[in-house]
Amino acid sequence: GENVEQHPSTLSVQEGDSAVIKCTYSDSASNYFPWYKQELGKGPQLIIDIRSNVGEKKDQRIAVTLNKTAKHFSLHITETQPEDSAVYFCAASPDSLNTGNQFYFGTGTSLTVIP
Amino acid sequence: KAGVTQTPRYLIKTRGQQVTLSCSPISGHRSVSWYQQTPGQGLQFLFEYFSETQRNKGNFPGRFSGRQFSNSRSEMNVSTLELGDSALYLCASSLEGLAGVDEQYFGPGTRLTVT
């Protein structure tokens, strides 16, 4: 099955700096890659996703890049703010007709933004 | 539009007992997936239901089971509880996943403690 590795496990940045979280996956059949943000006491919240026909996607301060050849994808947060502090998870899933939803998650990155 | 709701939010059970957790997906969503989240193992996929049928299954023992009703609401059951079943159980809903994987949206989770 799919194996998703995520680094780093913890990350501290100064407010206003950028944060980068990296994930690798093993199954070449995976072609949908969402990122989730989980705050304390809450469920994961989808913040951005990318499909394999796109190399980069941006939404305001958040961007995701995908290198399908190398089987890795990254989350970039620019101009970080204290409210960005949370645990971030990457995930991978096959994306073809009738496979349904079966996501494989990374182990999470605890991001702390220092004011 | 209301989000994914899960009940109960907290539960304390004794070893050997069984438990049933409930999930109501976002209106219009027909796929419901269940995940177990623990500090040691992270987010692990349990199973996915679509149109009242189990469509995908993770690598969990048969003590973990689920079902989906005609209104897309889903329940999961854990029988003969073990201490290691203590976890946050998350439900995620998505549209259909028929034409490729759809975005998944998570509920707040049910915190199960087994004593």
Side-chain angles (χ1 to χ4, degrees), chain B residues 13-60:
Chain B
K13 290 286 188 179
T14 304
R15 271 181 302 175
Q17 288 185 315
Q18 74 163 15
V19 66
T20 299
L21 313 181
S22 181
C23 171
S24 291
I26 293 170
S27 178
H29 284 193
R30 297 173 60 196
S31 165
V32 174
S33 297
W34 289 90
Y35 293 85
Q36 181 194 67
Q37 186 176 28
T38 60
Q41 299 296 319
L43 272 155
Q44 293 188 288
F45 173 75
L46 279 155
F47 29 66
E48 181 211 9
Y49 284 86
F50 172 74
S51 195
E52 302 179 63
T53 302
Q54 189 180 86
R55 181 161 64 176
N56 285 298
K57 186 179 189 307
N59 190 25
F60 276 81

Side-chain angles (χ1 to χ4, degrees), chain B residues 65-103:
Chain B
S65 62
R67 59 177 176 168
Q68 186 180 35
F69 302 95
S70 59
N71 62 358
S72 295
R73 191 177 69 84
S74 177
E75 290 181 346
M76 69 162 282
N77 184 79
V78 188
S79 62
T80 321
L81 284 166
E82 301 177 358
L83 293 178
D85 297 333
S86 295
L88 181 67
Y89 289 88
L90 291 159
C91 167
S93 82
S94 61
L95 277 170
E96 291 185 344
L98 293 175
V101 67
D102 289 319
E103 294 86 354

Side-chain angles (χ1 to χ4, degrees), chain A residues 32 36 38 41-44 46 49 51 89 93-103 105, chain B residues 9 31 35 37 43 45 48 55-57 90 94 97-104 106-108:
Chain A
Y32 175 68
Y36 289 85
Q38 187 173 25
K42 297 184 178 180
L46 177 66
D49 58 9
R51 297 180 191 262
F89 292 94
S93 174
D95 181 10
S96 55
L97 292 178
N98 292 320
T99 55
N101 299 307
Q102 188 166 4
F103 289 17
F105 282 84
Chain B
R9 293 293 312 278
S31 165
Y35 293 85
Q37 186 176 28
L43 272 155
F45 173 75
E48 181 211 9
R55 181 161 64 176
N56 285 298
K57 186 179 189 307
L90 291 159
S94 61
L98 293 175
V101 67
D102 289 319
E103 294 86 354
Q104 281 196 344
F106 282 84

